[in-house]
Amino acid sequence: MSAPRPVEAEYLAPAEAALTRAVGGALGPASFELRLQVLEAASARFGGFDLTAFHEAFGVQGKKTAAELLELAAPVASAIERSPIHHALALSALAREALHEQDRKNTGAYHTDFRLATRLAQLAAPKLTYKSKVIDPASGAGILLTALTLAVCGMDRAKTAHWLSHGVCAADLSANSLRAALLSLASLTDDVAALKAMRARWYCGDSLLADPKVWAGMAPKGFDAVIGNPPWEKVKLSRHEFLKSSGTQRHYGAQIHGLDEARFAAQRDEVVNYSRRLLARYPDLGNGEPDLYIAFTDLFFELCKEQGIVAALIPGGLIRSQGTQAMRQKIFEASQRVSLSIIDNRAKFFSIDTRFKFLAVALMKAGFEKSKREPIQLLHERGTPTALETTGSATIGRAALAAVRPDLSLPEVRSVAEWKLFSKIAEAGISWEEPGYGWAPKFCREVDMTKERPKFLSRSTNGALPLVEGRMVQAHRFGVKGHVSGTGRSALWEAYAIGSSRLSPQFWIRPSDMPRATQHRAHFLRVGFCDIAGQTNERSLMAALIPAGAVCGNKVPTILFPEDPSEERLLVWAAIANSFAFDWMLRRVLTTTVNYFLLQSVPLPKLAKDGLPWKKLVSASQELRKLDGAGATRETCERMAQLRGEIDAEVAVAYGLDLNDMELVLQDFPILDRGQIALPGEIKSTITRDSVLAAVAKRTGSGSTVWQRRAVDARVLGAMAYVPSELALGGEEIEEEGAQSNG
């Protein structure tokens, strides 16, 4: 999926055009200097300070006279005033240094959208006054400090001058960024002396490795608030990234040509040395390639005083990744109050995938004395054209979280009811490693679609094995799409109707060309699942049995259970994994990939092998496998839907769920049944939901008949449950937030 243009850039396009005209459209350092000077003049227009005095105070050698700069700035200021963005925040955005793709990759910098800056300031401001001391240790162009100034001081010029003069501190690697931060804040005051006193405290350098004396000089007793949007990248250097930074146009997977090995080795050594210094300074980074945002989060706590506030934008990995467990533990132990807002990029905050999730974190640092740790506040927020709005919230007790998630990873529940349901399933379930249940898995990515690509064959050859790709696997169905023609993005695939699955691959590979460690797996029946998924897809997990004699690409990891390699166990696991209850749990922890850590964090239901529920799941799953090759008839489709409903009901009961619980579960799958006929007077079909709830009502003996009546009425009209939308809509490729359609 291509990266969207940020909304902020759309709003500021007229101001950007006016600024480009003012500097003559030229490129290079001289042009950027003039750009900053024009923006400083615009700041003077808004703030009311004397531009000549400002230049003298900060040693700016004017490219033009102050009068000329003020005249050039007039149309820029006018365009800013017509935008929906406060002038001080707009100036910060316009004064940023341009970040090209590799600059962003190297630094991990994502400029903060004005809506996020305002929201983070709102989270930090309630405990602050104009006498407080605050810092952004990765300030960039200062939009967070500017938003915080507006939140704390409002339009009071006297308070603003005192706040700037005594309390606002910043640090950044870039002198140009600090200059941008200065001009942004300057637009809020006419007091050049206050600006000069503020700028004298600022630090230009690497905050992560700065001497503690730097911070002590700014705030001897610590800061009342630390605000930031730290870099989101790991400290690493690959050959691909090195070539990109050298100007080479290339994509991942392309062969390496023209690499200056000596220069690459020298730069790699620099990166390794820097990593070692960070790991020594911030032990919670763990091992391997350090995540910069984790180091900065550690620094934020270090700079914050007791009862102070930390407010930051952090990648979503903080609440779910295996590598951030130590930092989660530290945050929960060191914070008296924790508020976490989950936000995605659909509102186009950043020029990255709209599915990308991140957090607005607000923490109150605990004191040395034992103080009561409040429950965690978990919010869901989404962007509007000019702000953010809350769409869900839950309160999670810390002990309760530790009981169901020992690694303290937070499930993305949107309400108290969802948290209760999550806890209920977690408490009823068992770990995959629970002794005596036989679920300890052995995962494998059998063939890497990039590394082994040169060994692929485009036609069947004696002894070669068909290669299974992600689009060929759906819930309980193996061989759901067949290759027709073309390769890569231009490849044409045919979707096979329910009941007519067959194996029609794009590629084959000889066993001798497979990685040696995985060659033997092709001789076994095993279960495979698609690892590309999403919380908003029709279904997030799709698993099917993979027969012997086929090999899976890396987007279809496979599982064997060494303690019990029987076909029955594989069938039962597939039944559980494809159920709505398991899928609902996975959606609480999922991003865009089903990695092993996340998958195994979802508990399995307690099922005794050879017990009646086990036998029912085996029988239903076996029949589903047979039916999917029996022919595409309506009878086949309806029977497969009936079997899947029975499986969903059986798994729900095994998790201890009732009819009300399953109603809540199914609310999380709103795009099912596209293309199916709706009941009279209703906008969309709910045949799958109604069929599942009818099966649960029957299985639990609830006595409710409403769902059965709805399902029967829908079937009479021609609707069919459990049909992927792409089949119902004519076999089209339906893009769901960039992922495959599934059902």
Side-chain angles (χ1 to χ4, degrees):
M1 175 177 286
S2 59
R5 187 184 189 196
V7 166
E8 185 180 73
E10 299 284 352
Y11 290 157
L12 294 178
E16 179 62 44
L19 185 55
T20 300
R21 288 192 295 271
V23 300
L27 301 174
S31 174
F32 186 70
E33 174 61 30
L34 179 56
R35 179 186 179 93
L36 286 178
Q37 291 188 21
V38 171
L39 289 172
E40 287 167 346
S43 177
R45 282 182 165 275
F46 288 115
F49 59 82
D50 183 276
L51 184 59
T52 300
F54 180 90
H55 282 173
E56 289 176 355
F58 298 105
V60 177
Q61 299 296 316
K63 291 283 185 182
K64 298 179 181 293
T65 66
E68 290 172 323
L69 289 170
L70 288 167
E71 185 176 351
L72 287 173
V76 178
S78 178
I80 289 173
E81 287 180 315
R82 292 193 300 272
S83 81
I85 305 176
H86 189 282
H87 71 259
L89 305 180
L91 285 170
S92 173
L94 291 167
R96 296 165 180 155
E97 294 179 280
L99 272 182
H100 300 295
E101 177 192 356
Q102 196 57 35
D103 297 327
R104 181 177 287 113
K105 188 69 178 174
N106 289 340
T107 63
Y110 290 90
H111 292 315
T112 310
D113 176 274
F114 75 101
R115 295 165 292 176
L116 296 174
T118 301
R119 179 64 179 126
L120 210 61
Q122 291 170 346
L123 292 170
K127 285 200 65 182
L128 304 177
T129 73
Y130 70 95
K131 295 181 180 180
S132 301
K133 283 189 173 291
V134 300
I135 187 170
D136 184 344
S139 69
I143 196 168
L144 288 173
L145 288 171
T146 304
L148 190 58
T149 300
L150 292 169
V152 173
C153 301
M155 302 302 293
D156 191 316
R157 289 256 172 160
K159 288 182 177 178
T160 298
H162 186 280
W163 161 268
L164 297 176
S165 179
H166 296 88
V168 176
C169 300
D172 199 89
L173 279 169
S174 167
N176 280 334
S177 290
L178 292 177
R179 188 169 167 190
L182 176 63
L183 73 86
S184 174
L185 289 162
S187 71
L188 301 174
T189 184
D190 60 1
D191 192 335
V192 174
L195 295 172
K196 190 171 182 180
M198 175 182 70
R199 181 63 183 86
R201 294 190 303 273
W202 290 6
Y203 174 68
C204 186
D206 187 341
S207 294
L208 293 176
L209 297 178
D211 191 304
K213 294 178 182 177
V214 170
W215 315 119
M218 297 180 186
K221 297 181 181 179
F223 292 92
D224 297 290
V226 182
I227 194 167
N229 175 13
W232 293 358
E233 282 294 329
K234 288 181 178 291
V235 179
K236 64 179 181 180
L237 179 67
S238 70
R239 283 174 166 79
H240 169 84
E241 289 156 355
F242 176 76
L243 286 172
K244 292 276 282 186
S245 68
S246 303
T248 302
Q249 298 298 313
R250 69 186 313 277
H251 59 84
Y252 278 106
Q255 291 187 333
I256 301 292
H257 297 292
L259 181 69
D260 185 334
E261 292 286 355
R263 197 159 68 88
F264 171 73
Q267 192 168 333
R268 182 184 57 198
D269 289 344
E270 288 182 15
V271 171
V272 170
N273 289 334
Y274 184 68
S275 296
R276 287 172 179 161
R277 294 175 69 191
L278 287 181
L279 290 167
R281 174 72 177 75
Y282 302 99
D284 289 326
L285 282 171
N287 300 312
E289 300 165 340
D291 271 302
L292 288 172
Y293 78 86
I294 298 178
F296 266 102
T297 304
D298 220 343
L299 177 64
F300 292 167
F301 267 97
E302 185 180 307
L303 298 179
C304 188
K305 65 176 10 176
E306 291 179 47
Q307 305 297 303
I309 300 295
V310 172
L313 295 176
I314 302 291
L318 178 68
I319 63 169
R320 69 170 65 89
S321 296
Q322 189 173 16
T324 55
Q325 181 175 347
M327 182 50 63
R328 284 195 294 275
Q329 181 121 15
K330 179 168 186 173
I331 285 174
F332 295 152
E333 288 180 354
S335 302
Q336 182 176 333
R337 185 180 304 154
V338 177
S339 171
L340 299 161
S341 294
I342 300 171
I343 310 167
D344 64 31
N345 194 43
R346 290 186 196 178
K348 296 187 285 188
F349 300 110
F350 307 109
S351 183
I352 53 178
D353 192 328
T354 56
R355 295 171 296 169
F356 184 83
K357 288 194 173 184
F358 55 96
L359 310 170
V361 180
L363 314 167
M364 179 188 288
K365 187 175 178 179
F368 288 117
E369 296 182 4
K370 194 72 173 178
S371 54
K372 182 181 178 182
R373 279 13 180 209
E374 299 176 12
I376 298 164
Q377 297 298 315
L378 184 64
L379 305 176
H380 286 257
E381 300 189 48
R382 68 183 175 198
T384 69
T386 57
L388 280 91
E389 62 182 7
T390 300
T391 59
S393 65
T395 301
I396 299 176
R398 302 191 195 202
L401 175 64
V404 299
R405 304 290 285 182
D407 64 357
L408 301 180
S409 56
L410 275 163
E412 294 185 24
V413 290
R414 303 182 193 89
S415 64
V416 172
E418 285 196 354
W419 169 238
K420 288 181 178 178
L421 177 59
F422 186 93
S423 300
K424 184 176 185 177
I425 295 175
E427 290 166 2
I430 55 168
S431 164
W432 293 42
E433 304 292 339
E434 186 77 20
Y437 282 91
W439 290 120
K442 187 172 183 180
F443 292 98
C444 182
R445 295 185 186 275
E446 296 178 357
V447 172
D448 190 289
M449 296 293 289
T450 299
K451 290 181 180 178
E452 269 74 57
R453 178 67 178 82
K455 302 170 184 176
F456 292 172
L457 304 173
S458 58
R459 61 178 59 88
S460 179
T461 303
N462 187 35
L465 301 178
L467 185 63
V468 180
E469 300 181 47
R471 70 184 73 236
M472 298 163 68
V473 174
Q474 284 184 359
H476 294 288
R477 300 186 65 207
F478 170 73
V480 300
K481 286 186 181 179
H483 180 252
V484 177
S485 63
T487 59
R489 293 184 181 275
S490 62
L492 179 63
W493 290 79
E494 178 186 3
Y496 298 140
I498 291 174
S500 59
S501 293
R502 55 191 180 275
L503 187 56
S504 301
Q506 179 177 195
F507 300 115
W508 288 258
I509 187 171
R510 296 183 180 89
S512 58
D513 288 331
M514 292 169 53
R516 184 165 301 184
T518 66
Q519 290 177 6
H520 70 286
R521 286 181 78 97
H523 300 301
F524 294 95
L525 180 71
R526 64 269 195 220
V527 67
F529 63 91
C530 296
D531 78 344
I532 299 298
Q535 293 172 319
T536 57
N537 288 9
E538 276 187 20
R539 297 298 301 268
S540 294
L541 189 65
M542 300 180 291
L545 267 63
I546 309 297
V551 61
C552 291
N554 57 290
K555 296 304 180 184
V556 186
T558 60
I559 310 176
L560 290 170
F561 299 100
E563 294 178 17
D564 176 12
S566 67
E567 178 179 339
E568 283 195 0
R569 181 163 296 276
L570 298 175
L571 289 167
V572 171
W573 187 89
I576 295 168
N578 288 317
S579 72
F580 279 108
F582 187 92
D583 204 337
W584 186 88
M585 289 289 282
L586 184 66
R587 285 159 93 101
R588 308 280 71 76
V589 298
L590 183 66
T591 51
T592 57
T593 304
V594 185
N595 67 46
Y596 305 158
F597 169 69
L598 293 180
L599 184 61
Q600 288 185 270
S601 75
V602 178
L604 296 169
K606 291 179 181 177
L607 289 169
K609 188 174 181 182
D610 297 328
L612 183 57
W614 179 283
K615 290 179 179 178
K616 287 182 178 179
L617 293 177
V618 170
S619 176
S621 298
Q622 284 176 331
E623 188 175 350
L624 282 171
R625 288 190 75 204
K626 293 176 183 176
L627 285 171
D628 201 29
T633 66
R634 182 171 183 84
E635 290 73 19
T636 295
C637 190
E638 289 188 342
R639 177 56 179 162
M640 291 181 73
Q642 180 185 351
L643 290 167
R644 291 190 62 179
E646 291 172 1
I647 287 173
D648 270 309
E650 205 62 55
V651 173
V653 169
Y655 276 124
L657 305 186
D658 58 26
L659 189 59
N660 290 332
D661 294 328
M662 284 304 292
E663 286 188 54
L664 181 57
V665 164
L666 288 160
Q667 288 176 15
D668 207 48
F669 301 86
I671 60 173
L672 295 170
D673 301 324
R674 288 171 293 173
Q676 299 298 328
I677 300 170
L679 291 172
E682 299 186 4
I683 297 174
K684 62 183 292 295
S685 173
T686 57
I687 177 67
T688 299
R689 180 202 67 180
D690 300 340
S691 298
V692 173
L693 294 177
V696 173
K698 180 180 179 181
R699 176 64 179 81
T700 58
S702 73
S704 173
T705 59
V706 61
W707 305 112
Q708 180 63 24
R709 288 199 305 270
R710 287 179 58 86
V712 169
D713 290 346
R715 284 197 294 273
V716 169
L717 293 174
M720 292 188 289
Y722 289 97
V723 177
S725 296
E726 62 182 332
L727 290 179
L729 296 172
E732 302 169 12
E733 287 279 358
I734 301 171
E735 185 174 316
E736 300 171 359
E737 299 296 330
Q740 297 181 69
S741 171
N742 47 74

